[in-house]
Amino acid sequence: MPRRYLQLDVFAHRPGAGNPLGVIPDAEGLDAATMQAIARWTRLPETTFVFPPTQAGASYRIRMFSPQREVPFAGHPSVGTAHVVMQAGIAAPVDGMLWQEGATGVLPLAVTGSGRERRIAVRAPRAHVAETAAAGDGRIAAALPGAAPGRLPPALMDGGRRWWVVELADEATVRTATPDWDAVAALAADTGSMGVFAFSRADAGQDHDLVVRAFVGAGARFEDAASGAANATLAAWLRHNGAVPGEGGRYVASQGREVGYDARLHLRIDEAGDIWSGGQACDVLSGELDWPGT
């Protein structure tokens, strides 16, 4: 049975700017092996599969897969899938909220605006500090050779996925950083993390407050175009240190330029200290997937 398949860009104001995502909005009947095979075939950062909810209050249920494994939580698949769910008429916001059932429980998503200006933000799982490294830690220096450090020490943040968040001196240092991929992979393996998430304050007069880059060393080695989960763990670290940029707990991060994208991620820290990671999503492709056994 052919199934509807959609592809979109997340954290993007236009196609080609954000992080690509594949979505199958009616995945009922697919088993884990088939979903993993489809995700491996799409070769996208993640592919998501939508099911009817099983928990009271949930709008829909989601499973998300990278080409290598099932993923318990990630920001851009959550935001993009919510966009598809609304477009397909599977669920509609109630009082501006959707509720996504997944491996980490039922998470709320806030929906604001409409049409091309609509933004969706997912409340990320609470992140905590797993380790703080000393300034000049050899593991970090090896992963980002020659990159001048910023004010905050490197920290390993655990928010469902683990990331080393590493402040660098300024925007130019972040944008020109060249990782040592062997060292990034070794750090990821030794600490059970995804890799290194480098950041700095943005230069004055721009449409973003932070510039960030995500160097993934777990599994395939690559630079992520836009990561909602990594940005959420960084926001938790900034809050922990009283270093949140912007105003009122809100700021914008620029990610992906160095790998041919131009994503914008909107972060919000609410009064309870929860992190909301979101942005826009753009439709790119709509068709049918004819997969054996589906």
PDB file of all heavy atoms in Angstrom, residues 150-184:
ATOM      1  N   GLY A 150      35.829  30.982  24.914  1.00  0.00           N
ATOM      2  CA  GLY A 150      35.063  32.097  25.445  1.00  0.00           C
ATOM      3  C   GLY A 150      35.113  32.128  26.955  1.00  0.00           C
ATOM      4  O   GLY A 150      35.989  31.525  27.578  1.00  0.00           O
ATOM      5  N   ARG A 151      34.121  32.814  27.553  1.00  0.00           N
ATOM      6  CA  ARG A 151      34.151  33.033  29.007  1.00  0.00           C
ATOM      7  C   ARG A 151      33.724  31.804  29.797  1.00  0.00           C
ATOM      8  O   ARG A 151      34.326  31.479  30.808  1.00  0.00           O
ATOM      9  CB  ARG A 151      33.223  34.215  29.343  1.00  0.00           C
ATOM     10  CG  ARG A 151      33.175  34.560  30.830  1.00  0.00           C
ATOM     11  CD  ARG A 151      32.279  35.754  31.084  1.00  0.00           C
ATOM     12  NE  ARG A 151      30.890  35.505  30.737  1.00  0.00           N
ATOM     13  CZ  ARG A 151      30.007  34.912  31.549  1.00  0.00           C
ATOM     14  NH1 ARG A 151      30.379  34.492  32.749  1.00  0.00           N
ATOM     15  NH2 ARG A 151      28.749  34.747  31.164  1.00  0.00           N
ATOM     16  N   LEU A 152      32.664  31.110  29.365  1.00  0.00           N
ATOM     17  CA  LEU A 152      32.142  29.981  30.127  1.00  0.00           C
ATOM     18  C   LEU A 152      32.985  28.736  29.884  1.00  0.00           C
ATOM     19  O   LEU A 152      33.498  28.524  28.781  1.00  0.00           O
ATOM     20  CB  LEU A 152      30.694  29.689  29.729  1.00  0.00           C
ATOM     21  CG  LEU A 152      29.655  30.778  30.023  1.00  0.00           C
ATOM     22  CD1 LEU A 152      28.294  30.336  29.516  1.00  0.00           C
ATOM     23  CD2 LEU A 152      29.604  31.083  31.513  1.00  0.00           C
ATOM     24  N   PRO A 153      33.118  27.876  30.893  1.00  0.00           N
ATOM     25  CA  PRO A 153      33.850  26.625  30.686  1.00  0.00           C
ATOM     26  C   PRO A 153      33.026  25.656  29.845  1.00  0.00           C
ATOM     27  O   PRO A 153      31.798  25.742  29.807  1.00  0.00           O
ATOM     28  CB  PRO A 153      34.036  26.093  32.110  1.00  0.00           C
ATOM     29  CG  PRO A 153      32.868  26.643  32.859  1.00  0.00           C
ATOM     30  CD  PRO A 153      32.620  28.013  32.279  1.00  0.00           C
ATOM     31  N   PRO A 154      33.669  24.712  29.189  1.00  0.00           N
ATOM     32  CA  PRO A 154      32.908  23.679  28.475  1.00  0.00           C
ATOM     33  C   PRO A 154      32.108  22.829  29.454  1.00  0.00           C
ATOM     34  O   PRO A 154      32.533  22.597  30.582  1.00  0.00           O
ATOM     35  CB  PRO A 154      33.994  22.847  27.787  1.00  0.00           C
ATOM     36  CG  PRO A 154      35.213  23.714  27.784  1.00  0.00           C
ATOM     37  CD  PRO A 154      35.117  24.559  29.015  1.00  0.00           C
ATOM     38  N   ALA A 155      30.937  22.370  28.997  1.00  0.00           N
ATOM     39  CA  ALA A 155      30.098  21.537  29.862  1.00  0.00           C
ATOM     40  C   ALA A 155      29.439  20.445  29.039  1.00  0.00           C
ATOM     41  O   ALA A 155      29.066  20.652  27.882  1.00  0.00           O
ATOM     42  CB  ALA A 155      29.029  22.383  30.550  1.00  0.00           C
ATOM     43  N   LEU A 156      29.292  19.284  29.660  1.00  0.00           N
ATOM     44  CA  LEU A 156      28.542  18.186  29.065  1.00  0.00           C
ATOM     45  C   LEU A 156      27.115  18.273  29.585  1.00  0.00           C
ATOM     46  O   LEU A 156      26.868  18.101  30.777  1.00  0.00           O
ATOM     47  CB  LEU A 156      29.170  16.844  29.437  1.00  0.00           C
ATOM     48  CG  LEU A 156      28.455  15.589  28.930  1.00  0.00           C
ATOM     49  CD1 LEU A 156      28.383  15.573  27.414  1.00  0.00           C
ATOM     50  CD2 LEU A 156      29.147  14.341  29.462  1.00  0.00           C
ATOM     51  N   MET A 157      26.186  18.584  28.690  1.00  0.00           N
ATOM     52  CA  MET A 157      24.781  18.742  29.056  1.00  0.00           C
ATOM     53  C   MET A 157      23.989  17.532  28.598  1.00  0.00           C
ATOM     54  O   MET A 157      24.161  17.051  27.473  1.00  0.00           O
ATOM     55  CB  MET A 157      24.209  20.008  28.416  1.00  0.00           C
ATOM     56  CG  MET A 157      24.847  21.299  28.878  1.00  0.00           C
ATOM     57  SD  MET A 157      24.572  21.626  30.641  1.00  0.00           S
ATOM     58  CE  MET A 157      22.787  21.829  30.686  1.00  0.00           C
ATOM     59  N   ASP A 158      23.113  17.036  29.472  1.00  0.00           N
ATOM     60  CA  ASP A 158      22.294  15.866  29.181  1.00  0.00           C
ATOM     61  C   ASP A 158      20.829  16.288  29.148  1.00  0.00           C
ATOM     62  O   ASP A 158      20.247  16.633  30.174  1.00  0.00           O
ATOM     63  CB  ASP A 158      22.514  14.794  30.249  1.00  0.00           C
ATOM     64  CG  ASP A 158      21.890  13.463  29.867  1.00  0.00           C
ATOM     65  OD1 ASP A 158      20.921  13.462  29.078  1.00  0.00           O
ATOM     66  OD2 ASP A 158      22.367  12.422  30.350  1.00  0.00           O
ATOM     67  N   GLY A 159      20.254  16.280  27.950  1.00  0.00           N
ATOM     68  CA  GLY A 159      18.843  16.606  27.790  1.00  0.00           C
ATOM     69  C   GLY A 159      18.136  15.572  26.933  1.00  0.00           C
ATOM     70  O   GLY A 159      17.396  15.918  26.021  1.00  0.00           O
ATOM     71  N   GLY A 160      18.360  14.292  27.211  1.00  0.00           N
ATOM     72  CA  GLY A 160      17.873  13.217  26.357  1.00  0.00           C
ATOM     73  C   GLY A 160      18.989  12.768  25.441  1.00  0.00           C
ATOM     74  O   GLY A 160      19.349  11.597  25.370  1.00  0.00           O
ATOM     75  N   ARG A 161      19.576  13.719  24.734  1.00  0.00           N
ATOM     76  CA  ARG A 161      20.845  13.531  24.044  1.00  0.00           C
ATOM     77  C   ARG A 161      21.894  14.368  24.767  1.00  0.00           C
ATOM     78  O   ARG A 161      21.577  15.434  25.287  1.00  0.00           O
ATOM     79  CB  ARG A 161      20.747  13.968  22.583  1.00  0.00           C
ATOM     80  CG  ARG A 161      20.034  12.974  21.673  1.00  0.00           C
ATOM     81  CD  ARG A 161      19.991  13.500  20.254  1.00  0.00           C
ATOM     82  NE  ARG A 161      19.651  12.468  19.299  1.00  0.00           N
ATOM     83  CZ  ARG A 161      19.607  12.655  17.987  1.00  0.00           C
ATOM     84  NH1 ARG A 161      19.876  13.847  17.486  1.00  0.00           N
ATOM     85  NH2 ARG A 161      19.295  11.664  17.169  1.00  0.00           N
ATOM     86  N   ARG A 162      23.116  13.876  24.781  1.00  0.00           N
ATOM     87  CA  ARG A 162      24.194  14.596  25.451  1.00  0.00           C
ATOM     88  C   ARG A 162      25.021  15.382  24.434  1.00  0.00           C
ATOM     89  O   ARG A 162      25.352  14.879  23.368  1.00  0.00           O
ATOM     90  CB  ARG A 162      25.123  13.617  26.178  1.00  0.00           C
ATOM     91  CG  ARG A 162      24.536  13.008  27.432  1.00  0.00           C
ATOM     92  CD  ARG A 162      25.564  12.098  28.076  1.00  0.00           C
ATOM     93  NE  ARG A 162      25.321  11.941  29.498  1.00  0.00           N
ATOM     94  CZ  ARG A 162      26.249  11.610  30.382  1.00  0.00           C
ATOM     95  NH1 ARG A 162      27.505  11.393  29.971  1.00  0.00           N
ATOM     96  NH2 ARG A 162      25.970  11.492  31.650  1.00  0.00           N
ATOM     97  N   TRP A 163      25.354  16.620  24.802  1.00  0.00           N
ATOM     98  CA  TRP A 163      26.204  17.466  23.971  1.00  0.00           C
ATOM     99  C   TRP A 163      27.238  18.171  24.852  1.00  0.00           C
ATOM    100  O   TRP A 163      26.905  18.623  25.951  1.00  0.00           O
ATOM    101  CB  TRP A 163      25.380  18.542  23.256  1.00  0.00           C
ATOM    102  CG  TRP A 163      24.638  18.084  22.048  1.00  0.00           C
ATOM    103  CD1 TRP A 163      23.334  17.697  21.975  1.00  0.00           C
ATOM    104  CD2 TRP A 163      25.156  17.990  20.713  1.00  0.00           C
ATOM    105  NE1 TRP A 163      23.000  17.364  20.691  1.00  0.00           N
ATOM    106  CE2 TRP A 163      24.097  17.538  19.894  1.00  0.00           C
ATOM    107  CE3 TRP A 163      26.405  18.248  20.149  1.00  0.00           C
ATOM    108  CZ2 TRP A 163      24.263  17.330  18.525  1.00  0.00           C
ATOM    109  CZ3 TRP A 163      26.563  18.048  18.778  1.00  0.00           C
ATOM    110  CH2 TRP A 163      25.501  17.585  17.996  1.00  0.00           C
ATOM    111  N   TRP A 164      28.454  18.293  24.343  1.00  0.00           N
ATOM    112  CA  TRP A 164      29.421  19.197  24.934  1.00  0.00           C
ATOM    113  C   TRP A 164      29.154  20.591  24.371  1.00  0.00           C
ATOM    114  O   TRP A 164      29.257  20.802  23.161  1.00  0.00           O
ATOM    115  CB  TRP A 164      30.853  18.773  24.592  1.00  0.00           C
ATOM    116  CG  TRP A 164      31.352  17.683  25.471  1.00  0.00           C
ATOM    117  CD1 TRP A 164      31.344  16.347  25.209  1.00  0.00           C
ATOM    118  CD2 TRP A 164      31.917  17.851  26.772  1.00  0.00           C
ATOM    119  NE1 TRP A 164      31.869  15.649  26.270  1.00  0.00           N
ATOM    120  CE2 TRP A 164      32.240  16.548  27.240  1.00  0.00           C
ATOM    121  CE3 TRP A 164      32.197  18.954  27.585  1.00  0.00           C
ATOM    122  CZ2 TRP A 164      32.820  16.331  28.488  1.00  0.00           C
ATOM    123  CZ3 TRP A 164      32.777  18.728  28.825  1.00  0.00           C
ATOM    124  CH2 TRP A 164      33.078  17.448  29.269  1.00  0.00           C
ATOM    125  N   VAL A 165      28.783  21.531  25.234  1.00  0.00           N
ATOM    126  CA  VAL A 165      28.561  22.913  24.803  1.00  0.00           C
ATOM    127  C   VAL A 165      29.831  23.697  25.113  1.00  0.00           C
ATOM    128  O   VAL A 165      30.315  23.695  26.251  1.00  0.00           O
ATOM    129  CB  VAL A 165      27.312  23.528  25.465  1.00  0.00           C
ATOM    130  CG1 VAL A 165      26.051  22.842  24.956  1.00  0.00           C
ATOM    131  CG2 VAL A 165      27.353  23.428  26.977  1.00  0.00           C
ATOM    132  N   VAL A 166      30.366  24.331  24.085  1.00  0.00           N
ATOM    133  CA  VAL A 166      31.688  24.939  24.187  1.00  0.00           C
ATOM    134  C   VAL A 166      31.629  26.369  23.665  1.00  0.00           C
ATOM    135  O   VAL A 166      31.390  26.600  22.473  1.00  0.00           O
ATOM    136  CB  VAL A 166      32.733  24.140  23.378  1.00  0.00           C
ATOM    137  CG1 VAL A 166      34.103  24.795  23.490  1.00  0.00           C
ATOM    138  CG2 VAL A 166      32.786  22.688  23.853  1.00  0.00           C
ATOM    139  N   GLU A 167      31.807  27.340  24.569  1.00  0.00           N
ATOM    140  CA  GLU A 167      31.810  28.739  24.138  1.00  0.00           C
ATOM    141  C   GLU A 167      33.173  29.085  23.541  1.00  0.00           C
ATOM    142  O   GLU A 167      34.222  28.792  24.119  1.00  0.00           O
ATOM    143  CB  GLU A 167      31.506  29.676  25.308  1.00  0.00           C
ATOM    144  CG  GLU A 167      31.415  31.133  24.841  1.00  0.00           C
ATOM    145  CD  GLU A 167      31.027  32.104  25.940  1.00  0.00           C
ATOM    146  OE1 GLU A 167      31.153  31.742  27.139  1.00  0.00           O
ATOM    147  OE2 GLU A 167      30.602  33.222  25.605  1.00  0.00           O
ATOM    148  N   LEU A 168      33.133  29.756  22.374  1.00  0.00           N
ATOM    149  CA  LEU A 168      34.341  30.264  21.739  1.00  0.00           C
ATOM    150  C   LEU A 168      34.356  31.782  21.818  1.00  0.00           C
ATOM    151  O   LEU A 168      33.359  32.416  22.182  1.00  0.00           O
ATOM    152  CB  LEU A 168      34.432  29.775  20.291  1.00  0.00           C
ATOM    153  CG  LEU A 168      34.491  28.250  20.122  1.00  0.00           C
ATOM    154  CD1 LEU A 168      34.625  27.869  18.654  1.00  0.00           C
ATOM    155  CD2 LEU A 168      35.627  27.643  20.940  1.00  0.00           C
ATOM    156  N   ALA A 169      35.481  32.371  21.459  1.00  0.00           N
ATOM    157  CA  ALA A 169      35.736  33.785  21.757  1.00  0.00           C
ATOM    158  C   ALA A 169      34.754  34.732  21.096  1.00  0.00           C
ATOM    159  O   ALA A 169      34.310  35.706  21.708  1.00  0.00           O
ATOM    160  CB  ALA A 169      37.167  34.140  21.359  1.00  0.00           C
ATOM    161  N   ASP A 170      34.399  34.483  19.841  1.00  0.00           N
ATOM    162  CA  ASP A 170      33.538  35.408  19.113  1.00  0.00           C
ATOM    163  C   ASP A 170      32.957  34.710  17.899  1.00  0.00           C
ATOM    164  O   ASP A 170      33.263  33.539  17.616  1.00  0.00           O
ATOM    165  CB  ASP A 170      34.302  36.680  18.699  1.00  0.00           C
ATOM    166  CG  ASP A 170      35.594  36.382  17.962  1.00  0.00           C
ATOM    167  OD1 ASP A 170      35.675  35.354  17.253  1.00  0.00           O
ATOM    168  OD2 ASP A 170      36.548  37.172  18.098  1.00  0.00           O
ATOM    169  N   GLU A 171      32.105  35.439  17.163  1.00  0.00           N
ATOM    170  CA  GLU A 171      31.420  34.845  16.022  1.00  0.00           C
ATOM    171  C   GLU A 171      32.403  34.367  14.960  1.00  0.00           C
ATOM    172  O   GLU A 171      32.247  33.273  14.400  1.00  0.00           O
ATOM    173  CB  GLU A 171      30.427  35.840  15.412  1.00  0.00           C
ATOM    174  CG  GLU A 171      29.681  35.283  14.213  1.00  0.00           C
ATOM    175  CD  GLU A 171      28.451  36.072  13.815  1.00  0.00           C
ATOM    176  OE1 GLU A 171      28.032  36.981  14.568  1.00  0.00           O
ATOM    177  OE2 GLU A 171      27.895  35.772  12.736  1.00  0.00           O
ATOM    178  N   ALA A 172      33.427  35.156  14.673  1.00  0.00           N
ATOM    179  CA  ALA A 172      34.398  34.763  13.651  1.00  0.00           C
ATOM    180  C   ALA A 172      35.093  33.462  14.028  1.00  0.00           C
ATOM    181  O   ALA A 172      35.356  32.609  13.162  1.00  0.00           O
ATOM    182  CB  ALA A 172      35.419  35.877  13.443  1.00  0.00           C
ATOM    183  N   THR A 173      35.382  33.282  15.315  1.00  0.00           N
ATOM    184  CA  THR A 173      36.045  32.056  15.762  1.00  0.00           C
ATOM    185  C   THR A 173      35.147  30.844  15.548  1.00  0.00           C
ATOM    186  O   THR A 173      35.602  29.778  15.113  1.00  0.00           O
ATOM    187  CB  THR A 173      36.435  32.167  17.249  1.00  0.00           C
ATOM    188  OG1 THR A 173      37.273  33.313  17.432  1.00  0.00           O
ATOM    189  CG2 THR A 173      37.179  30.931  17.715  1.00  0.00           C
ATOM    190  N   VAL A 174      33.853  30.997  15.842  1.00  0.00           N
ATOM    191  CA  VAL A 174      32.917  29.892  15.625  1.00  0.00           C
ATOM    192  C   VAL A 174      32.802  29.575  14.138  1.00  0.00           C
ATOM    193  O   VAL A 174      32.894  28.416  13.722  1.00  0.00           O
ATOM    194  CB  VAL A 174      31.533  30.218  16.219  1.00  0.00           C
ATOM    195  CG1 VAL A 174      30.518  29.137  15.852  1.00  0.00           C
ATOM    196  CG2 VAL A 174      31.607  30.369  17.728  1.00  0.00           C
ATOM    197  N   ARG A 175      32.614  30.595  13.338  1.00  0.00           N
ATOM    198  CA  ARG A 175      32.356  30.368  11.912  1.00  0.00           C
ATOM    199  C   ARG A 175      33.571  29.814  11.174  1.00  0.00           C
ATOM    200  O   ARG A 175      33.419  29.140  10.151  1.00  0.00           O
ATOM    201  CB  ARG A 175      31.866  31.655  11.258  1.00  0.00           C
ATOM    202  CG  ARG A 175      30.491  32.113  11.790  1.00  0.00           C
ATOM    203  CD  ARG A 175      29.742  32.944  10.774  1.00  0.00           C
ATOM    204  NE  ARG A 175      28.451  33.404  11.257  1.00  0.00           N
ATOM    205  CZ  ARG A 175      27.327  32.679  11.231  1.00  0.00           C
ATOM    206  NH1 ARG A 175      27.352  31.440  10.770  1.00  0.00           N
ATOM    207  NH2 ARG A 175      26.185  33.198  11.673  1.00  0.00           N
ATOM    208  N   THR A 176      34.761  30.070  11.648  1.00  0.00           N
ATOM    209  CA  THR A 176      35.968  29.580  10.966  1.00  0.00           C
ATOM    210  C   THR A 176      36.568  28.351  11.630  1.00  0.00           C
ATOM    211  O   THR A 176      37.594  27.843  11.163  1.00  0.00           O
ATOM    212  CB  THR A 176      37.038  30.687  10.900  1.00  0.00           C
ATOM    213  OG1 THR A 176      37.376  31.103  12.225  1.00  0.00           O
ATOM    214  CG2 THR A 176      36.522  31.882  10.109  1.00  0.00           C
ATOM    215  N   ALA A 177      35.936  27.861  12.696  1.00  0.00           N
ATOM    216  CA  ALA A 177      36.479  26.698  13.407  1.00  0.00           C
ATOM    217  C   ALA A 177      36.512  25.470  12.493  1.00  0.00           C
ATOM    218  O   ALA A 177      35.586  25.223  11.715  1.00  0.00           O
ATOM    219  CB  ALA A 177      35.644  26.403  14.644  1.00  0.00           C
ATOM    220  N   THR A 178      37.603  24.714  12.591  1.00  0.00           N
ATOM    221  CA  THR A 178      37.750  23.461  11.849  1.00  0.00           C
ATOM    222  C   THR A 178      37.950  22.338  12.854  1.00  0.00           C
ATOM    223  O   THR A 178      38.997  22.268  13.504  1.00  0.00           O
ATOM    224  CB  THR A 178      38.948  23.520  10.891  1.00  0.00           C
ATOM    225  OG1 THR A 178      38.769  24.609   9.975  1.00  0.00           O
ATOM    226  CG2 THR A 178      39.068  22.227  10.110  1.00  0.00           C
ATOM    227  N   PRO A 179      36.958  21.475  13.012  1.00  0.00           N
ATOM    228  CA  PRO A 179      37.085  20.426  14.028  1.00  0.00           C
ATOM    229  C   PRO A 179      38.077  19.345  13.607  1.00  0.00           C
ATOM    230  O   PRO A 179      38.287  19.101  12.416  1.00  0.00           O
ATOM    231  CB  PRO A 179      35.671  19.854  14.112  1.00  0.00           C
ATOM    232  CG  PRO A 179      35.110  20.075  12.739  1.00  0.00           C
ATOM    233  CD  PRO A 179      35.675  21.398  12.284  1.00  0.00           C
ATOM    234  N   ASP A 180      38.689  18.717  14.593  1.00  0.00           N
ATOM    235  CA  ASP A 180      39.443  17.493  14.363  1.00  0.00           C
ATOM    236  C   ASP A 180      38.454  16.345  14.580  1.00  0.00           C
ATOM    237  O   ASP A 180      38.075  16.033  15.716  1.00  0.00           O
ATOM    238  CB  ASP A 180      40.610  17.400  15.352  1.00  0.00           C
ATOM    239  CG  ASP A 180      41.455  16.147  15.143  1.00  0.00           C
ATOM    240  OD1 ASP A 180      40.872  15.050  15.020  1.00  0.00           O
ATOM    241  OD2 ASP A 180      42.684  16.262  15.113  1.00  0.00           O
ATOM    242  N   TRP A 181      38.006  15.744  13.482  1.00  0.00           N
ATOM    243  CA  TRP A 181      36.905  14.792  13.569  1.00  0.00           C
ATOM    244  C   TRP A 181      37.263  13.555  14.382  1.00  0.00           C
ATOM    245  O   TRP A 181      36.401  12.983  15.057  1.00  0.00           O
ATOM    246  CB  TRP A 181      36.412  14.425  12.174  1.00  0.00           C
ATOM    247  CG  TRP A 181      35.622  15.517  11.539  1.00  0.00           C
ATOM    248  CD1 TRP A 181      36.002  16.344  10.529  1.00  0.00           C
ATOM    249  CD2 TRP A 181      34.302  15.935  11.910  1.00  0.00           C
ATOM    250  NE1 TRP A 181      35.002  17.252  10.241  1.00  0.00           N
ATOM    251  CE2 TRP A 181      33.953  17.023  11.064  1.00  0.00           C
ATOM    252  CE3 TRP A 181      33.380  15.516  12.871  1.00  0.00           C
ATOM    253  CZ2 TRP A 181      32.726  17.677  11.149  1.00  0.00           C
ATOM    254  CZ3 TRP A 181      32.147  16.164  12.955  1.00  0.00           C
ATOM    255  CH2 TRP A 181      31.837  17.227  12.102  1.00  0.00           C
ATOM    256  N   ASP A 182      38.506  13.124  14.333  1.00  0.00           N
ATOM    257  CA  ASP A 182      38.908  11.974  15.146  1.00  0.00           C
ATOM    258  C   ASP A 182      38.775  12.307  16.634  1.00  0.00           C
ATOM    259  O   ASP A 182      38.304  11.482  17.428  1.00  0.00           O
ATOM    260  CB  ASP A 182      40.344  11.572  14.827  1.00  0.00           C
ATOM    261  CG  ASP A 182      40.481  10.893  13.480  1.00  0.00           C
ATOM    262  OD1 ASP A 182      39.468  10.404  12.952  1.00  0.00           O
ATOM    263  OD2 ASP A 182      41.611  10.858  12.947  1.00  0.00           O
ATOM    264  N   ALA A 183      39.184  13.535  17.009  1.00  0.00           N
ATOM    265  CA  ALA A 183      39.083  13.942  18.410  1.00  0.00           C
ATOM    266  C   ALA A 183      37.623  14.135  18.825  1.00  0.00           C
ATOM    267  O   ALA A 183      37.243  13.804  19.956  1.00  0.00           O
ATOM    268  CB  ALA A 183      39.878  15.224  18.635  1.00  0.00           C
ATOM    269  N   VAL A 184      36.792  14.665  17.933  1.00  0.00           N
ATOM    270  CA  VAL A 184      35.360  14.824  18.233  1.00  0.00           C
ATOM    271  C   VAL A 184      34.729  13.453  18.446  1.00  0.00           C
ATOM    272  O   VAL A 184      33.958  13.241  19.395  1.00  0.00           O
ATOM    273  CB  VAL A 184      34.646  15.594  17.107  1.00  0.00           C
ATOM    274  CG1 VAL A 184      33.133  15.580  17.326  1.00  0.00           C
ATOM    275  CG2 VAL A 184      35.146  17.023  17.012  1.00  0.00           C
TER     276      VAL A 184
END
